[in-house]
Structures are given as C-alpha cells and as structure tokens.
Amino acid sequence: MFKQIVLIMALIVAAPLSLAADSKTNPKYEGIEITVNINSAGAEELAALLNGVGLKKAQAIVSYRDEHGSFKTAQELTAVKGIGEGLVTRNLDRIKL
C-alpha cells in the first residue's frame, strides 16, 4: 500500500514537468521567426524547418511540386502522401508561398 502511494505521488509530481517540456519550443529557435518557402526550398530545408516533417516527407513534397507545379495555398500540401491537415495547421506560421 505504501509503495502505491509513493508511486502515485511521484506520478503527480512528474506529470506537469513532462507536459511542460513538451510545450516548450526548441531554444535554438526561440525568438526567431522561422519560415520556409514550400515552392522553392529543397528537401533538406523543408525537413529542418517544418515541424513533423522528416526527410522522407520533405522529399515527397519536392517530388509532388516537381510533378504538379507550385503550391498555390498551404492547404494544397495535404495532397502530398503523408501530409495531413494537422501537420499543415501546425506549420501555417512557417509556410510561405
């Protein structure tokens, strides 16, 4: 019983700390406006500057752009396989055309 109480208390104390860590931005970019032009950036730049976009998704964006032409809106990114509404919404302030 004592072990369970100690475990519960530890979880209560640790939970807010882990949530706070998730909500912080990368200190490397704190105070810097990060934007990327999805019509001209290469895969490496897209992967580095868009949240939730790794090299594979970034390459898919570039391939789609090469095949279909420039994006007219940020929402058009959802036509790229692996890119959903949530990812676009999360990056709206970073995406430039």
Side-chain angles (χ1 to χ4, degrees):
M1 180 70 173
F2 180 73
K3 287 182 182 180
Q4 290 174 331
I5 292 172
V6 170
L7 178 61
I8 290 170
M9 294 301 286
L11 291 174
I12 290 172
V13 170
L17 296 176
S18 65
L19 291 175
D22 290 342
S23 68
K24 290 184 180 179
T25 59
N26 186 338
K28 179 179 176 183
Y29 300 119
E30 194 169 323
I32 300 172
E33 182 180 346
I34 299 169
T35 60
V36 60
N37 187 319
I38 59 172
N39 288 320
S40 61
E44 293 82 14
E45 187 177 3
L46 291 168
L49 298 177
L50 294 176
N51 290 324
V53 175
L55 192 54
K56 187 174 180 178
K57 285 183 184 178
Q59 288 169 337
I61 292 170
V62 172
S63 294
Y64 184 91
R65 182 181 70 207
D66 290 344
E67 187 175 329
H68 297 95
S70 296
F71 295 97
K72 291 172 186 52
T73 68
Q75 293 307 116
E76 285 185 54
L77 281 172
T78 59
V80 178
K81 184 178 179 182
I83 307 291
E85 282 287 329
L87 192 140
V88 172
T89 301
R90 191 167 53 241
N91 286 288
L92 274 178
D93 58 334
R94 293 174 177 236
I95 296 171
K96 299 295 177 198
L97 300 171

